[in-house]
């Protein structure tokens, strides 16, 4: 009989966390901001079909960075959860907090029990009826949940980007100037401006009564970036 | 993953982009209804129409629901948006019909969110067919639901109308269709006056006239109620999307259409 080597639990967790962080750092980052007019989410994503940002329900959006297949699986489960809940109860009973908790539990479970942790960070954003009531839940690979009210950055370079944003972000900004600010912050210190086809942008429009999720693309996004 | 609060499935049992499949997997009892009630025990919705016009489709329905010989509801709605570019109008047992509409709306939205794009109009019509067929055992007990489905088809650039039978049979109608107890009267009225150059306003007027004609002949169809200000529900679907016509606008047009009828003119 072979005896397994003893590895301290601290070491196991650290190794798993390092593994997940490395995976996440390989991908591009993403910014979400709560504004007077709604919640805007901006990601660097050259693909037009493999989305990082998508609609979960009337007032809730989902975004993920890291390994696409892993956060895509969580996105689909989230849409299912939300639609089932909305069908069984009422549309207004679907909220971001319950969904964020479910995601956090799932990620926590995977982090400790599965062969490998998920190399992803996800965002569950909900636009409120009035400005200042938005909820941004930022969930890490190990199930840690952080709730923000102003803005949050997901991905490997999150700290640098958050620092750049922190000084300039105001919740009173217009949607388009917030998009420009985020695009500058995402492009990094080399500041080679990102173009419309390198960005994926979505907006939870507070003024809409039912489905608030809108994708900004093509000419609409170009004019937002240049205005 | 088995301990997750989220609905995960292994690849053999994954419901894909179908919401009704998802519902059967997660809560099997929701889809089943069993009863041996008679038609006096439950509420029936009556007449609905869908009329193609030069830029899309107009859908309309009267507001009466009956239970046997009693009026169960004077203000029931029978025309609903299915999604942004299509609508569903229901005739038959109101309970399962309203539930079917909710399921259908969720199904279309669910597909759109999971797949990232909307179903084609034919795809939507087939989905509804599936829902009607699922209802067949209940329909055999007397709770039949026969919807009308209409929408704007962006690929063909025109409005289209579909009707169903209780077995889920799906039939595309050329230009118009009317369903429900007063459907025959409404359909005859439309048939006599329809032409391919109708505008949205003219088609709305025709829909209103056909419903009033049906109400004149059929006891289960509600006519215009000038005292309580109850008029049919009307929706216009065109390239821009589904647009429910405001009650006041319908009331104004209904009063124009009714002009002179107090003397018996027109009917």
């Amino acid at each position: 009989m072979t005896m397994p080597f003893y590895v301290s639990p601290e070491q196991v967790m650290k190794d798993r966390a390092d593994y997940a962080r490395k995976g996440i750092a390989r991908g591009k980052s993403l910014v979400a901001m709560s504004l007077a007019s709604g919640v805007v989410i901006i990601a660097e994503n050259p693909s037009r079909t493999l989305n990082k940002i998508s609609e979960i329900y009337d007032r809730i959006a989902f975004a993920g960075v890291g390994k696409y297949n892993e956060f895509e699986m969580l996105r689909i489960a989230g849409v299912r959860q939300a639609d089932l809940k909305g069908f069984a109860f009422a549309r207004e009973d679907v909220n971001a907090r319950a969904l964020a908790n479910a995601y956090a539990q799932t990620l926590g479970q995977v982090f400790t029990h599965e062969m490998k942790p998920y190399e992803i960070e996800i965002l569950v954003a909900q636009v409120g009826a009035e400005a200042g009531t938005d909820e941004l839940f930022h969930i890490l690979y190990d199930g840690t949940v952080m709730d923000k009210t102003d803005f949050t950055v997901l991905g490997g370079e999150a700290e640098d980007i958050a620092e750049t944003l922190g000084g300039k972000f105001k919740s009173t900004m217009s949607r388009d100037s917030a998009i420009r600010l985020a695009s500058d912050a995402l492009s990094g210190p080399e500041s080679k401006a990102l173009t419309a086809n390198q960005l994926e942008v979505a907006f939870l429009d507070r003024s809409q009564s039912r489905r608030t999720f809108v994708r900004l693309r093509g000419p609409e996004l170009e004019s937002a970036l240049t205005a | 993953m088995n301990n997750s609060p989220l609905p995960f499935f292994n690849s053999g049992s994954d419901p894909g982009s179908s919401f009704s499949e998802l519902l059967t997997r997660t809560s099997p009892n929701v889809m089943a209804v069993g009863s041996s009630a008679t038609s006096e025990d439950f509420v029936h919705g009556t007449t609905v129409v869908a009329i193609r016009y030069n830029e899309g489709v107009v859908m309309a329905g009267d507001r009466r629901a009956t239970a046997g010989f009693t009026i169960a509801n004077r203000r029931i709605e029978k025309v609903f948006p299915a999604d942004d570019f299509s609508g569903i109008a229901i005739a038959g047992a109101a309970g399962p019909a309203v539930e079917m509409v909710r399921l259908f709306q969720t199904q279309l939205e669910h597909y759109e969110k999971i797949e990232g794009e909307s179903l084609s109009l034919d795809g939507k019509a087939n989905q509804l067919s599936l829902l009607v067929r699922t209802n067949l055992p209940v329909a055999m007990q007397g709770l039949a639901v026969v919807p009308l489905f209409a929408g704007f088809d962006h690929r063909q650039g025109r409005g289209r109308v579909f009707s169903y039978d209780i077995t889920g049979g799906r039939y595309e109608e050329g230009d118009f269709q009317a369903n429900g107890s007063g459907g025959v009267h409404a359909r005859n009225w439309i048939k006599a006056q329809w032409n391919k150059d109708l505008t949205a306003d003219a088609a709305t007027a025709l829909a209103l006239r056909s419903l009033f004609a049906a109400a004149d002949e059929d006891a289960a169809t509600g006519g215009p109620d000038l005292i309580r200000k109850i008029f049919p529900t009307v929706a216009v679907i065109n390239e821009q999307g589904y647009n429910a016509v405001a009650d006041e606008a319908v009331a104004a047009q209904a009063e124009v259409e009714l002009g002179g009828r107090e003397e018996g003119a027109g009917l």
Side-chain angles (χ1 to χ4, degrees):
Chain A
M1 192 181 129
T2 54
M3 286 289 286
F5 288 110
Y6 174 75
V7 186
S8 72
E10 287 86 353
Q11 190 60 42
V12 175
M13 291 306 145
K14 189 177 171 301
D15 287 353
R16 283 174 175 253
D18 284 346
Y19 178 85
R21 266 200 293 264
K22 255 183 228 161
I24 294 162
R26 276 195 288 273
K28 311 276 190 209
S29 300
L30 179 146
V31 177
M33 296 185 268
S34 162
L35 306 169
S37 55
V39 175
V40 67
I41 307 172
I42 302 107
E44 191 179 345
N45 183 5
S47 169
R48 283 164 171 274
T49 42
L50 305 177
N51 293 320
K52 289 185 170 181
I53 312 167
S54 36
E55 175 185 14
I56 293 267
Y57 212 65
D58 292 354
R59 311 188 75 80
I60 306 172
F62 173 94
V65 296
K67 247 183 146 209
Y68 176 78
N69 66 319
E70 293 177 349
F71 67 72
E72 174 69 4
M73 200 165 71
L74 291 182
R75 177 188 77 87
I76 290 177
V79 171
R80 286 178 175 161
Q81 170 92 323
D83 278 345
L84 281 171
K85 202 171 171 189
F87 185 75
F89 306 111
R91 296 192 81 86
E92 57 263 40
D93 295 322
V94 179
N95 60 55
R97 191 181 40 79
L99 199 61
N101 282 333
Y103 279 136
Q105 275 190 49
T106 308
L107 283 168
Q109 194 75 233
V110 170
F111 185 75
T112 46
H113 288 73
E114 299 285 319
M115 271 291 287
K116 83 170 210 40
Y118 280 179
E119 298 155 69
I120 57 172
E121 277 180 34
I122 58 174
L123 168 83
V124 180
Q126 174 172 287
V127 65
E130 289 115 39
T133 57
D134 298 342
E135 292 168 8
L136 304 173
F137 294 99
H138 178 172
I139 306 158
L140 301 184
Y141 52 85
D142 62 351
T144 309
V145 192
M146 294 173 284
D147 77 316
K148 297 287 180 68
T149 44
D150 49 356
F151 72 91
T152 187
V153 186
L154 281 70
E157 292 141 43
E159 279 179 23
D160 295 341
I161 296 171
E163 208 164 298
T164 324
L165 280 181
K168 296 175 190 157
F169 172 78
K170 286 186 204 68
S171 62
T172 50
M173 290 175 115
S174 75
R175 184 192 75 186
D176 291 0
S177 46
I179 294 175
R180 285 195 297 280
L181 173 63
S183 139
D184 289 347
L186 285 171
S187 69
E190 303 99 79
S191 66
K192 191 169 173 292
L194 294 166
T195 60
N197 44 26
Q198 292 169 292
L199 288 173
E200 182 185 346
V201 180
F203 184 54
L204 291 173
D205 186 346
R206 201 188 305 284
S207 65
Q208 295 292 316
S209 59
R210 203 173 137 182
R211 289 171 77 180
T212 58
F213 186 90
V214 220
R215 274 186 200 289
L216 301 182
R217 39 160 73 115
E220 199 180 357
L221 180 54
E222 273 160 32
S223 76
L225 284 170
T226 51
Chain B
M1 292 301 243
N2 294 329
N3 298 319
S4 168
L6 290 167
F8 284 109
F9 302 90
N10 48 37
S11 53
S13 66
D14 194 292
S17 48
S18 164
F19 182 75
S20 47
E21 285 293 312
L22 173 65
L23 205 58
T24 357
R25 301 263 195 294
T26 53
S27 36
N29 298 327
V30 176
M31 302 282 283
V33 188
S35 92
S36 55
T38 60
S39 68
E40 280 79 41
D41 296 335
F42 43 75
V43 177
H44 276 259
T46 39
T47 311
V48 290
V49 302
I51 305 173
R52 262 169 37 86
Y53 71 96
N54 59 6
E55 287 173 345
V57 194
V58 169
M59 299 185 94
D62 76 304
R63 305 289 292 272
R64 180 171 293 177
T66 56
F69 291 107
T70 332
I71 294 175
N73 194 318
R74 293 176 211 284
R75 293 171 201 272
I76 195 173
E77 302 237 347
K78 303 173 192 176
V79 180
F80 303 89
D83 67 355
D84 288 346
F85 295 98
S86 61
I88 172 170
I90 49 169
V98 170
E99 204 56 18
M100 186 183 289
V101 168
R102 235 159 59 81
L103 188 57
F104 186 52
Q105 289 168 331
T106 312
Q107 169 71 68
L108 297 187
E109 188 187 319
H110 188 72
Y111 180 96
E112 188 189 323
K113 289 189 290 196
I114 298 274
E115 299 287 329
E117 59 185 331
S118 311
L119 274 168
S120 64
L121 194 69
D122 283 299
K124 292 174 200 170
N126 286 337
Q127 275 294 327
L128 183 56
S129 179
L130 211 69
L131 295 185
V132 178
R133 186 160 45 227
T134 316
N135 195 53
L136 183 61
V138 186
M140 296 311 277
Q141 297 172 358
L143 290 163
V145 178
V146 273
L148 273 181
F149 175 67
F152 189 85
D153 189 333
H154 286 270
R155 293 170 207 206
Q156 298 189 6
R158 65 186 186 101
R160 296 169 71 189
V161 177
F162 299 88
S163 67
Y164 296 82
D165 63 23
I166 58 163
T167 64
R170 186 206 93 168
Y171 312 98
E172 178 161 9
E173 302 295 336
D175 302 307
F176 53 84
Q177 182 56 287
N179 251 355
S181 61
V184 178
H185 307 291
R187 191 157 55 239
N188 283 337
W189 193 269
I190 300 166
K191 193 188 281 175
Q193 300 194 358
W194 190 85
N195 71 71
K196 66 178 170 44
D197 301 318
L198 286 180
T199 61
D201 283 346
T204 306
L206 179 54
L208 292 175
R209 283 200 299 275
S210 71
L211 287 174
F212 299 159
D216 261 5
E217 306 296 331
D218 173 44
T221 303
D225 191 330
L226 296 165
I227 296 167
R228 296 190 187 86
K229 299 285 173 208
I230 305 172
F231 297 99
T233 328
V234 182
V236 177
I237 309 164
N238 56 24
E239 200 173 358
Q240 277 73 49
Y242 180 99
N243 182 20
V245 181
D247 282 349
E248 301 77 51
V250 176
Q253 196 157 9
E255 274 165 32
V256 173
E257 297 309 321
L258 287 168
R261 195 165 290 190
E262 49 281 82
E263 269 110 68
L267 283 174

